[in-house]
């Protein structure tokens, strides 16, 4: 079996281990001999968490749902597994900030991941950030928390990881000196499953169709976000905060093959791009081992087999959610948090069959237009904006 060795022994907490990123992280961890699993967490998925605990024997397993936690504890006891079960949201923060943990994979989906992600940053962990919503909501608050507490924040999102790989390496991970001669960065986007679907069919798109991504296999929320291109809107905001860039320095280009994961344009005219097969094990392995490299089982890129790499401008009328994200990145303040919260509610209503696909963008736009944006000077102001946006979104959804 392929076995990597990190240049120092390390232990990791994986927040959201039962999800798509969580499972890919364990697939990478399985091939690292000196990476121990400190804690695995999930919302309520006992079956998957149980089998992960039996294989990796973490010190702790956390479930948010208490009934699921009882079921897991019972099953672990009868299997003779010594993993301790903890329950509730506070336990997520505990396993993200425990002094025995070196790195934290933040792979909970949505605002639910914010508190443990922030806890990891504040306690100086290497923070592997997949949970883009946490950064979109809090921006500089999360970036400053990481910087001030010696937490190395490394981007898992494939586009941001690509940019990070195309920038010069500095000891602190992401740093202002990295972007000195950068003119702009270009985020690539696959365009999702509805790149060429006639617009008049958007109203009847089903959750199953929206979740069937042509290139990536992911959790349901990010799959819908990819279909509306809200995902690229969130990533646009994420890129501005991560790399300290203005909205004018970020562009989006459609690249359906998802082979070039993003590009950096330098002031001398050079453009650096990172390429790989679309497989999240690549950025995950990069961030776990950084600045070292390790070996993964991701399929090797074969450009001769791929034959063509296509590019086109994004259509901002078709993908209104992308332009909302660009707008929020320009406005800043609580605008990104308002947009994120509205989108979490509209996507959840769409997945539950209570909202049509084309209305997701309308709800998001209406919430942004109706709630005034404020300076995002504290976490309390952001949380308040988040809850106002959610209640307005829900009343708009319920009132048809
Ligand atoms: P997923 O739905 O497959 O998994 C989500 C995980 O979070 C699960 O383990 C679930 O138990 C846990 N979770 C959900 N709600 C929770 C709650 N309220 N409290 C505690 N835990 C909760 O999602 P995913 O596709 O793995 O995505 C996770 C994050 O990574 C998202 O923010 C997504 O945008 C980002 N991301 C994913 C991919 C990808 O390829 N899947 C790529 C880039 C970024
Ligand atoms: Mg991405």
């Amino acid at each position: 079996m392929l076995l990597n060795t990190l240049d120092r022994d390390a232990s990791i907490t994986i927040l959201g281990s039962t999800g798509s990123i969580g499972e890919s992280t364990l697939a990478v961890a399985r091939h690292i001999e000196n990476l121990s699993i400190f804690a695995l967490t999930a919302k309520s998925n006992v079956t998957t968490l149980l089998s992960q605990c039996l294989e990796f024997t973490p010190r702790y397993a956390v479930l948010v749902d208490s009934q699921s936690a009882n079921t897991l504890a019972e099953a672990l006891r009868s299997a003779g597994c010594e993993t301790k079960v903890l329950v509730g949201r506070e336990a997520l923060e505990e396993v993200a900030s425990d002094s025995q943990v070196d790195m934290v994979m933040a792979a909970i989906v949505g605002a639910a991941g914010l508190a443990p992600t922030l806890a990891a940053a504040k306690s100086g962990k290497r923070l592997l950030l997949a949970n883009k919503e946490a950064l979109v909501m809090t921006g500089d608050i999360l970036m400053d928390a990481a910087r001030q507490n010696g937490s190395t924040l490394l981007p898992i999102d494939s586009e941001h990881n690509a940019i990070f790989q195309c920038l010069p390496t500095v000891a602190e991970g992401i740093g202002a000196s990295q972007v000195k001669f950068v003119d702009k960065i270009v985020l690539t986007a696959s365009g999702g499953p509805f790149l060429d679907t006639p617009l008049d069919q958007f109203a009847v798109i089903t959750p199953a169709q929206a979740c069937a991504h042509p290139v990536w296999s992911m959790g349901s929320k990010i799959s819908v976000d990819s279909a509306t291109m809200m995902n690229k809107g969130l990533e646009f905001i994420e890129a501005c905060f991560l790399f300290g860039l203005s909205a004018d320095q970020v562009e989006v280009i459609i690249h359906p093959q998802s082979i070039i994961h993003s590009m950096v344009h330098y002031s001398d005219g050079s453009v650096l791009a990172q390429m790989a097969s679309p497989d999240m094990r690549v950025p995950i392995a990069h961030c776990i081992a950084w600045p070292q490299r390790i070996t993964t089982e991701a399929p090797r890129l074969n450009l001769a087999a791929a034959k063509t790499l296509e590019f086109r401008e994004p259509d901002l009328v078709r993908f209104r959610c992308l332009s909302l994200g660009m707008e929020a990145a320009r406005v800043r303040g609580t605008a990104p948090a308002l947009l994120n919260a509205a989108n979490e509610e509209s996507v959840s209503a769409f997945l539950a069959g209570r909202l049509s696909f084309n209305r997701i963008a309308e709800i998001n736009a209406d919430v942004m237009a109706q709630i005034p944006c404020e300076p995002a000077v504290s976490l309390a102001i952001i949380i308040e904006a988040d809850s106002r946006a959610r209640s307005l979104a829900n009343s708009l959804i319920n009132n048809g």
Side-chain angles (χ1 to χ4, degrees):
M1 183 172 96
L2 162 67
L3 218 45
N4 290 287
T5 308
L6 297 177
D7 55 12
R8 72 251 167 284
D9 294 353
S11 95
I12 186 169
T13 281
I14 304 176
L15 301 166
S17 67
T18 59
S20 161
I21 291 290
E23 298 232 75
S24 297
T25 306
L26 286 170
V28 173
R30 196 175 275 126
H31 298 285
I32 304 177
E33 60 176 358
N34 58 344
L35 178 64
S36 66
I37 310 294
F38 182 79
L40 298 175
T41 86
K43 184 180 185 187
S44 58
N45 184 344
V46 176
T47 316
T48 306
L49 194 54
L50 174 62
S51 71
Q52 292 179 345
C53 288
L54 295 178
E55 179 181 354
F56 292 93
T57 56
R59 179 88 59 89
Y60 297 106
V62 181
L63 280 161
V64 175
D65 177 65
S66 61
Q67 206 169 340
S68 311
N70 291 337
T71 313
L72 179 68
E74 187 52 45
L76 287 171
R77 206 174 305 125
S78 43
C81 176
E82 289 185 359
T83 298
K84 258 192 164 163
V85 178
L86 305 177
V87 61
R89 289 174 212 277
E90 303 73 35
L92 296 174
E93 293 178 56
E94 285 162 29
V95 297
S97 55
D98 192 287
S99 62
Q100 293 182 52
V101 175
D102 302 300
M103 45 181 124
V104 173
M105 166 56 81
I108 291 174
V109 58
L114 174 58
T117 301
L118 207 48
K122 285 182 177 165
S123 46
K125 306 304 178 195
R126 170 175 296 205
L127 178 54
L128 315 180
L129 186 74
N131 181 202
K132 66 191 85 183
E133 296 91 345
L135 179 60
V136 166
M137 289 173 71
T138 56
D140 291 335
I141 291 181
L142 177 60
M143 294 304 295
D144 290 346
R147 223 169 275 133
Q148 287 160 10
N149 294 287
S151 160
T152 305
L153 194 162
L154 301 175
I156 294 294
D157 217 344
S158 56
E159 298 75 4
H160 307 74
N161 182 268
I163 292 158
F164 182 61
Q165 292 202 45
C166 295
L167 293 174
T169 302
V170 297
E172 65 269 32
I174 289 179
S177 61
Q178 283 194 295
V179 291
K180 245 186 183 166
F181 293 100
V182 170
D183 271 353
K184 63 175 181 183
I185 63 171
V186 180
L187 301 173
T188 55
S190 72
F194 309 125
L195 192 51
D196 298 308
T197 305
L199 276 177
D200 60 8
Q201 289 175 25
F202 269 36
V204 295
I205 286 169
T206 65
Q209 290 170 322
C211 289
H213 197 278
V215 185
W216 299 96
S217 154
M218 311 178 285
S220 55
K221 193 261 177 183
I222 184 176
S223 296
V224 175
D225 284 348
S226 299
T228 60
M229 283 193 78
M230 185 71 259
N231 184 49
K232 211 52 56 181
L234 297 174
E235 291 183 353
F236 191 99
I237 301 167
E238 183 185 13
C240 293
F241 287 134
L242 272 177
F243 301 109
L245 299 171
S246 72
D248 294 340
Q249 291 173 287
V250 183
E251 279 178 17
V252 173
I253 192 168
I254 305 269
H255 167 43
Q257 292 80 14
S258 294
I259 285 176
I260 292 183
H261 295 296
S262 280
M263 298 169 242
V264 177
H265 287 241
Y266 284 93
S267 56
D268 62 0
S270 294
V271 181
L272 300 197
Q274 185 261 358
M275 294 191 270
S277 300
D279 186 317
M280 290 307 293
R281 288 175 296 183
V282 177
I284 291 168
H286 175 255
C287 292
I288 288 178
W290 183 89
Q292 210 192 325
R293 285 204 186 254
I294 53 173
T295 305
T296 75
E297 292 185 322
R300 278 11 185 189
L301 186 58
N302 182 341
L303 286 175
K307 287 202 180 86
T308 45
L309 300 183
E310 298 164 90
F311 302 94
R312 52 171 131 155
E313 292 284 340
D315 175 346
L316 295 179
V317 175
R318 167 179 291 267
F319 296 115
R320 190 176 174 195
C321 286
L322 171 58
S323 74
L324 293 174
M326 293 168 154
E327 179 60 21
R330 245 168 242 120
V331 175
R332 301 230 177 175
T334 51
L338 292 171
L339 176 59
N340 177 66
N343 183 62
E344 285 193 31
E345 296 304 317
S346 57
V347 169
S348 136
F350 168 68
L351 286 169
R354 294 189 290 113
L355 188 73
S356 61
F357 183 78
N358 58 322
R359 293 264 295 136
I360 295 173
E362 289 174 19
I363 300 287
N364 296 354
D366 287 351
V367 169
M368 281 190 77
Q370 289 179 38
I371 302 182
C373 167
E374 291 174 72
V377 289
S378 71
L379 199 56
I381 284 175
I382 289 166
I383 305 287
E384 160 74 18
D386 174 277
S387 66
R388 278 186 74 187
R390 283 176 202 272
S391 56
L392 176 58
N394 279 311
S395 68
L396 294 169
I397 291 165
N398 295 333
N399 297 332

